[in-house]
Coordinates of all heavy atoms in Angstrom, one line a residue:
L4 N -22.8 -19.9 -53.0 CA -22.3 -20.5 -54.2 C -23.2 -20.4 -55.4 O -22.8 -20.0 -56.5 CB -22.0 -22.0 -54.0 CG -21.5 -22.8 -55.2 CD1 -20.2 -22.3 -55.7 CD2 -21.3 -24.3 -54.8
A5 N -24.5 -20.6 -55.2 CA -25.5 -20.5 -56.2 C -25.8 -19.1 -56.6 O -26.1 -18.8 -57.8 CB -26.7 -21.3 -55.9
G6 N -25.8 -18.2 -55.6 CA -26.2 -16.8 -55.9 C -27.6 -16.8 -56.5 O -28.5 -17.5 -56.0
D7 N -27.8 -15.9 -57.5 CA -29.1 -15.8 -58.1 C -29.2 -16.4 -59.5 O -30.0 -16.1 -60.3 CB -29.5 -14.3 -58.2 CG -28.5 -13.5 -58.9 OD1 -27.5 -14.1 -59.4 OD2 -28.7 -12.3 -59.1
R8 N -28.3 -17.4 -59.7 CA -28.3 -18.1 -61.0 C -29.5 -18.9 -61.2 O -29.9 -19.7 -60.3 CB -27.0 -18.9 -61.1 CG -25.7 -18.2 -60.9 CD -24.5 -19.2 -61.0 NE -24.4 -19.7 -62.3 CZ -23.5 -19.5 -63.2 NH1 -22.5 -18.7 -62.8 NH2 -23.4 -20.1 -64.3
D9 N -30.1 -18.9 -62.4 CA -31.2 -19.7 -62.7 C -30.8 -21.2 -63.0 O -31.6 -22.1 -62.8 CB -31.9 -19.2 -64.0 CG -32.6 -17.8 -63.8 OD1 -32.9 -17.5 -62.6 OD2 -32.7 -17.1 -64.7
D10 N -29.5 -21.4 -63.3 CA -29.0 -22.7 -63.6 C -28.4 -23.5 -62.4 O -27.9 -24.6 -62.6 CB -28.0 -22.7 -64.8 CG -26.9 -21.7 -64.5 OD1 -26.8 -21.1 -63.4 OD2 -26.0 -21.6 -65.4
A11 N -28.5 -22.9 -61.2 CA -28.0 -23.5 -60.0 C -29.2 -23.8 -59.1 O -30.0 -22.9 -58.7 CB -27.0 -22.6 -59.3
L12 N -29.3 -25.0 -58.6 CA -30.4 -25.4 -57.7 C -29.7 -25.8 -56.3 O -29.2 -26.9 -56.2 CB -31.2 -26.6 -58.2 CG -32.2 -27.2 -57.3 CD1 -33.3 -26.2 -57.0 CD2 -32.8 -28.5 -57.9
P13 N -29.8 -24.9 -55.3 CA -29.3 -25.3 -54.0 C -30.1 -26.4 -53.4 O -31.4 -26.2 -53.3 CB -29.3 -24.0 -53.2 CG -29.5 -22.9 -54.2 CD -30.3 -23.5 -55.3
L14 N -29.5 -27.5 -52.9 CA -30.3 -28.6 -52.4 C -29.6 -29.0 -51.1 O -28.8 -30.0 -51.1 CB -30.3 -29.7 -53.4 CG -31.4 -30.8 -53.3 CD1 -32.7 -30.2 -53.4 CD2 -31.1 -31.9 -54.3
P15 N -29.8 -28.3 -50.0 CA -29.1 -28.7 -48.7 C -29.4 -30.1 -48.3 O -30.6 -30.5 -48.4 CB -29.7 -27.7 -47.7 CG -30.2 -26.5 -48.6 CD -30.7 -27.2 -49.8
L16 N -28.4 -30.8 -47.9 CA -28.6 -32.2 -47.7 C -27.4 -32.8 -46.9 O -26.3 -32.6 -47.1 CB -28.6 -32.9 -49.1 CG -28.8 -34.4 -49.1 CD1 -30.2 -34.8 -48.5 CD2 -28.7 -35.0 -50.5
D17 N -27.8 -33.7 -45.9 CA -26.8 -34.6 -45.3 C -27.0 -35.9 -45.9 O -28.0 -36.6 -45.7 CB -27.1 -34.6 -43.8 CG -26.2 -35.6 -43.0 OD1 -25.4 -36.3 -43.7 OD2 -26.2 -35.6 -41.8
V18 N -26.0 -36.4 -46.7 CA -26.2 -37.6 -47.4 C -26.3 -38.8 -46.5 O -26.8 -39.9 -47.0 CB -25.0 -37.8 -48.4 CG1 -25.0 -36.7 -49.5 CG2 -23.7 -37.9 -47.7
S19 N -26.0 -38.7 -45.2 CA -26.1 -39.8 -44.3 C -27.6 -40.1 -43.9 O -27.9 -41.1 -43.4 CB -25.3 -39.6 -43.0 OG -23.9 -39.4 -43.3
D20 N -28.4 -39.1 -44.2 CA -29.9 -39.2 -43.9 C -30.6 -39.8 -45.1 O -30.9 -39.1 -46.0 CB -30.4 -37.8 -43.5 CG -31.8 -37.8 -43.0 OD1 -32.6 -38.7 -43.4 OD2 -32.2 -36.8 -42.3
R21 N -30.9 -41.0 -44.9 CA -31.5 -41.7 -46.1 C -32.9 -41.1 -46.5 O -33.1 -40.9 -47.7 CB -31.7 -43.2 -45.7 CG -32.3 -44.1 -46.8 CD -32.4 -45.5 -46.3 NE -32.9 -46.4 -47.4 CZ -33.1 -47.7 -47.2 NH1 -32.8 -48.3 -46.1 NH2 -33.6 -48.4 -48.2
A22 N -33.7 -40.8 -45.6 CA -35.0 -40.2 -45.9 C -34.8 -38.8 -46.6 O -35.5 -38.5 -47.5 CB -35.9 -40.1 -44.7
A23 N -33.9 -38.1 -46.1 CA -33.6 -36.7 -46.7 C -33.1 -36.9 -48.1 O -33.5 -36.1 -49.0 CB -32.6 -36.0 -45.8
V24 N -32.3 -37.9 -48.3 CA -31.8 -38.1 -49.7 C -32.9 -38.5 -50.7 O -33.0 -38.0 -51.8 CB -30.7 -39.1 -49.7 CG1 -30.2 -39.4 -51.2 CG2 -29.5 -38.6 -48.9
R25 N -33.8 -39.3 -50.2 CA -35.0 -39.6 -51.0 C -35.8 -38.4 -51.4 O -36.3 -38.3 -52.5 CB -35.8 -40.7 -50.4 CG -35.1 -42.1 -50.4 CD -36.0 -43.2 -50.1 NE -35.5 -44.5 -50.4 CZ -36.0 -45.7 -50.1 NH1 -37.2 -45.7 -49.5 NH2 -35.5 -46.8 -50.4
R26 N -36.0 -37.6 -50.4 CA -36.8 -36.3 -50.6 C -36.0 -35.4 -51.6 O -36.7 -34.8 -52.5 CB -37.0 -35.6 -49.3 CG -38.0 -36.3 -48.4 CD -38.4 -35.3 -47.3 NE -37.3 -34.9 -46.4 CZ -37.0 -35.6 -45.3 NH1 -37.6 -36.7 -45.0 NH2 -36.0 -35.2 -44.6
A27 N -34.7 -35.4 -51.5 CA -33.9 -34.7 -52.5 C -34.1 -35.2 -53.9 O -34.2 -34.5 -54.9 CB -32.4 -34.7 -52.1
G28 N -34.2 -36.5 -54.0 CA -34.4 -37.2 -55.3 C -35.8 -36.7 -55.9 O -35.9 -36.5 -57.1
E29 N -36.8 -36.6 -55.1 CA -38.1 -36.2 -55.5 C -38.0 -34.7 -56.0 O -38.6 -34.3 -57.0 CB -39.1 -36.3 -54.4 CG -39.4 -37.8 -54.0 CD -40.2 -37.9 -52.7 OE1 -40.5 -36.9 -52.1 OE2 -40.4 -39.1 -52.3
R30 N -37.3 -33.9 -55.2 CA -37.1 -32.5 -55.6 C -36.4 -32.4 -57.0 O -36.7 -31.6 -57.8 CB -36.3 -31.8 -54.5 CG -36.0 -30.3 -54.9 CD -37.2 -29.4 -54.7 NE -36.9 -28.0 -55.0 CZ -37.0 -27.5 -56.2 NH1 -37.4 -28.2 -57.2 NH2 -36.7 -26.2 -56.4
L31 N -35.4 -33.2 -57.2 CA -34.6 -33.2 -58.4 C -35.5 -33.6 -59.6 O -35.4 -33.1 -60.7 CB -33.4 -34.2 -58.3 CG -32.2 -33.7 -57.6 CD1 -31.3 -34.8 -57.2 CD2 -31.5 -32.6 -58.4
A32 N -36.4 -34.6 -59.4 CA -37.3 -35.1 -60.4 C -38.2 -33.9 -60.8 O -38.5 -33.7 -62.0 CB -38.1 -36.3 -59.9
E33 N -38.7 -33.2 -59.9 CA -39.6 -32.0 -60.2 C -38.8 -30.9 -60.9 O -39.4 -30.3 -61.9 CB -40.1 -31.4 -58.9 CG -41.0 -32.4 -58.1 CD -41.4 -31.8 -56.7 OE1 -40.9 -30.7 -56.4 OE2 -42.1 -32.5 -56.0
A34 N -37.6 -30.7 -60.5 CA -36.9 -29.6 -61.1 C -36.2 -29.9 -62.5 O -36.2 -29.1 -63.4 CB -35.8 -29.1 -60.2
F35 N -35.7 -31.1 -62.6 CA -34.9 -31.5 -63.8 C -35.5 -32.5 -64.7 O -35.1 -32.7 -65.8 CB -33.5 -31.9 -63.4 CG -32.6 -30.9 -62.8 CD1 -31.3 -31.2 -62.4 CD2 -33.0 -29.5 -62.8 CE1 -30.4 -30.2 -62.0 CE2 -32.1 -28.5 -62.3 CZ -30.8 -28.9 -61.9
G36 N -36.4 -33.3 -64.1 CA -37.0 -34.4 -64.8 C -36.0 -35.6 -64.7 O -36.2 -36.5 -63.9
G37 N -34.9 -35.6 -65.5 CA -33.9 -36.6 -65.5 C -32.6 -36.0 -65.1 O -32.4 -34.8 -65.0

C-alpha cells in the first residue's frame, strides 16, 4: 500500500497488543512529532 512514497509510513501493528501500540506511539512521535 505504501510503496516507495515518502509521505506514507508503514507501521505494522496488532492493536490488541498494548505494549506494541505504545511502541508504535513512540515511533510516531519520532517520525511526525504530533
Side-chain angles (χ1 to χ4, degrees):
L4 176 61
D7 57 0
R8 303 179 63 113
D9 293 335
D10 52 2
L12 173 65
L14 199 64
L16 181 64
D17 179 354
V18 297
S19 300
D20 185 336
R21 183 176 179 181
V24 175
R25 285 193 168 175
R26 290 194 296 270
E29 294 169 359
R30 176 74 178 93
L31 283 165
E33 294 172 359
F35 287 179

